[in-house]
């Protein structure tokens, strides 16, 4: 199905199943511990041996020698995989050959060996006996120090061009009556998902199956095949349940490659879970940024000039953090400049983490907007509203398909009690607590990408959906079941959804908050094909059939679907693909975050008291699942504001706090009260579902709303995240 004209009324609009706060269809499997996660596939590989990863002990250099004798002789050891015996590894799309180091070492904890043994204890014990000596080369580990040498990266499909210029920023800014020029930093952050990267790999002849935890099944099949130098058709990847990804599982990682190599060498299935203390430096993280924002306005608060520049670092072939990109679209202003620069660093690879670009970008831009509102003596909600635009500010004449930022801000201000905020900082006391409120806008694009599915109807009237789409905890199973039930006119209980298997049609996968809209659109397309097949078999005119209550009807005739299916059943398979509607219209999602904090006047301890998110993100397919996405994202945003930071050892080049004891994330006690409001909207430009995404929108802006609330509470403006109490102490008002 090609989607190239705005959606008109279709079966989804019935809203009998779609739009309902349905419980997770796979919830019982998860709560009873029977959902098979990758490392628990005892059913498929009961005889699996255990792999244990040895990570490089240096950040940059060479392996001078490896002594494996003691490890090989240790009890239970079956084989040890290193770059010397692994055979030649090919380069996938993401330089996957580097998932196994040697002799060159590119970053700390890059895998140098996999020890395979009968038990995990034996593998772990033997791994300690692997003796590696290194020749260290000096590396670059300090973003601030490398900032001056950073260059503009090549444009990519995801990132767009590294620079955009509209009008004359440099000429206009100095003449603006009110000006802000401020610099900010955001730290490296870890995905810290609950389930580690884990894989069971098994070979049958030259055919490989991996049961793993991966967001993008087709990408990773392609990369695994290229890396191993085998045909794609010989690789099957199965990833039905994922304990969180946040972007850390978009790509093939070391667990998949090493389990595959280990299983080939051991001649039996091998399972590998990246040990938590190795995971953080071995895999990817959200890169740290330095950002500079300049805003110039008229006296009455109209932006005339806006510039946002961002710097991040990465390994030589790594990508840049596109923290400036939302500034191309979020506010009006005739003179504009955005620039992304990338420095080479020898730290572990930086890559996508929940709302890559926008998350750190809005943490900064939305503090700058707060600072500017204060300079103008304007309410920060009103300042944002005064600079709303319904047109792409960089491309005259190109409208947003839907843009309800103003409604999000107004609704939120009303519901949160924003009028109770004291505009003057450090005025509100509650015992020893200083209390303040903050606001920030949320913005994230809506990306359209091809997605396929297959739907079967059987003689029990069951509808089975198959697509390689993944569910990373987001609710894919549930919204896909709702889509099929709605389109086929059957109850939810009559739909069975099978996901995350490369044997199924290729979907959009889970990433960039595109999963919900695109995967359900692909399922909708396949269901429409199945409806045609049913009508044809029932001898009814395809243009005049109705599907409801498990029946197909046309005029006076009706038949149960089960009967039409017959013993052979019927199948519909199709994909959604898109024309150029997203070139004619800018498709984005919008929101507003409101936060109240209390800061201990004596210690600087920050407690978040209340949070509200208002989101405008097209049709909400399942308000319960969507709300869960947003409150999870808000929680992650509080982590980003107050605690999350990978501490860089700038001499040795690694993240020091590489475990969940020392990489701090919010716990229940940190998050007292959260509310989410979805504006009632449908976007017929986005897809037949008229939906968009919310999973990443929810984190965008949260950090800044917290930062702005802290400023309002204390009068201390912190421009370097996370806002830990040491950064507040010196500026706190004297305790009476
Ligand atoms: Mo997302 S960071 O594209 O999983």
């Amino acid at each position: 199905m090609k989607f190239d004209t705005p959606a008109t009324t279709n079966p989804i609009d019935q809203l009998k199943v779609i739009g309902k706060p349905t419980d997770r269809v796979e919830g019982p499997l998860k709560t009873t511990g029977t959902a098979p996660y990758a490392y628990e596939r005892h059913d498929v590989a009961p005889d699996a041996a255990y792999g244990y990863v040895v990570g490089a002990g240096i950040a940059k250099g060479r392996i001078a020698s490896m002594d494996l004798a003691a490890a090989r002789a240790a009890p239970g050891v079956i084989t040890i995989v290193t770059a010397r015996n692994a055979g030649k590894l090919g380069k996938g799309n993401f330089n996957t050959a580097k998932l196994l180091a040697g002799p060159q070492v590119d970053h700390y904890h890059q895998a140098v060996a996999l020890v395979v043994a009968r038990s995990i204890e034996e593998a772990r014990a033997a791994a300690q006996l692997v003796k590696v000596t290194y020749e260290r080369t000096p590396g670059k580990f300090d973003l601030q120090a490398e900032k001056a040498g950073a260059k503009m990266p090549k444009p990519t499909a995801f990132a767009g061009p590294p620079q955009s210029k509209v009008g004359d920023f440099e000429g206009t800014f100095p003449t603006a009556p009110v000006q802000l020029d401020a610099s900010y930093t955001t730290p490296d952050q870890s995905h810290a998902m609950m389930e580690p990267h884990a894989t069971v790999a098994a070979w049958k002849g030259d055919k490989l199956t991996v049961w793993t935890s991966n967001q993008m099944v087709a990408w990773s099949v392609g990369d695994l095949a290229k890396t191993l130098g085998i045909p794609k058709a010989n690789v099957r990847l199965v990833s039905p349940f994922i304990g969180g990804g946040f972007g850390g599982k978009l790509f093939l990682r070391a667990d998949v490659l090493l389990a595959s190599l280990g299983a080939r060498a051991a001649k039996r299935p091998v399972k590998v879970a990246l040990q938590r203390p190795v995971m953080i430096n071995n895999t990817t993280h959200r890169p740290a940024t330095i950002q500079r924002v300049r805003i110039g306005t008229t006296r009455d608060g109209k932006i005339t000039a806006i510039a946002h520049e961002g710097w991040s670092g990465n390994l030589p072939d790594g990508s840049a953090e596109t923290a400036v990109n939302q500034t191309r679209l979020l506010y009006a202003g005739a003179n504009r400049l955005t620039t992304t620069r990338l420095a080479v660093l020898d730290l572990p690879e930086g890559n996508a983490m929940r709302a890559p670009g926008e998350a750190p970008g809005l943490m900064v831009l939305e503090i700058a907007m707060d600072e500017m509102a204060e300079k103008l003596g304007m309410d920060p909600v009103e300042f944002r509203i005064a600079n709303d635009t319904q047109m792409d500010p960089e491309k005259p004449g190109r409208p947003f398909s839907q843009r309800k930022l103003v409604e999000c801000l107004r609704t939120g201000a009303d519901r949160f009690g924003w009028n109770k905020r004291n505009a003057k900082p450090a005025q509100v006391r509650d015992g020893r607590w200083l209390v303040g409120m903050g606001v920030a806008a949320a913005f994230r694009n809506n990306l359209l990408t091809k997605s396929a599915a297959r739907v079967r109807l059987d003689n029990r009237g069951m509808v089975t959906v198959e697509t390689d789409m993944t569910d990373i905890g987001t609710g894919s199973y549930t919204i896909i079941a709702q889509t099929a039930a709605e389109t086929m006119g059957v109850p939810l209980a009559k739909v069975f959804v099978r996901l995350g298997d490369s044997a199924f049609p290729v979907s959009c996968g889970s990433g960039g908050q595109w999963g919900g809209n695109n995967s359900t659109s692909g399922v909708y397309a396949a269901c429409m094909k199945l409806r045609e097949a049913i009508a044809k078999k029932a001898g009814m005119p395809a243009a005049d059939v109705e599907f409801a209550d498990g029946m197909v009807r046309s005029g006076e005739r009706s038949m149960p679907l089960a009967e039409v299916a017959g013993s052979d059943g019927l199948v519909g398979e199709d994909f959604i693909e898109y024309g150029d509607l997203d070139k004619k219209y800018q498709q984005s999602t919008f929101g507003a975050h409101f936060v109240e904090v209390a800061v201990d006047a004596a210690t600087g301890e920050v407690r978040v008291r209340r949070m509200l998110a208002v989101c405008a993100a097209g049709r909400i397919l399942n308000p319960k699942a969507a709300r869960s996405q947003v409150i999870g994202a808000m929680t992650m945003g509080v982590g980003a504001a107050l605690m999350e930071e990978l501490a860089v050892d700038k001499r040795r080049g690694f993240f020091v706090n590489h475990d969940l004891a020392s990489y701090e994330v919010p716990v229940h006690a940190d998050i007292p009260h959260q509310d989410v409001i979805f504006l009632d909207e449908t976007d017929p430009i986005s897809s037949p579902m008229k939906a968009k995404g919310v999973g990443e929108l929810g984190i965008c802006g949260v950090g800044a709303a917290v930062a702005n609330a802290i400023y309002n509470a204390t009068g201390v403006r912190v421009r370097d995240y996370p806002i830990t109490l040491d950064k507040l102490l010196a500026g706190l008002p004297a305790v009476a």
Side-chain angles (χ1 to χ4, degrees), residues 215 246-248 250 352-356 444 472 510-514 696:
Q215 298 173 224
F246 306 122
L250 285 167
M353 181 169 137
R354 199 174 203 168
R444 175 77 175 148
I472 62 176
S510 296
Q513 80 168 9
W514 63 63
E696 295 189 335

Side-chain angles (χ1 to χ4, degrees), residues 214-217 219 242 247 249-250 468-474 476 507-516:
N214 187 282
Q215 298 173 224
M216 298 294 297
V217 168
W219 289 4
I242 299 171
K249 295 172 180 170
L250 285 167
D468 83 355
M469 179 60 188
T470 48
D471 189 328
I472 62 176
T474 38
S476 309
S507 73
C508 58
S510 296
Q513 80 168 9
W514 63 63

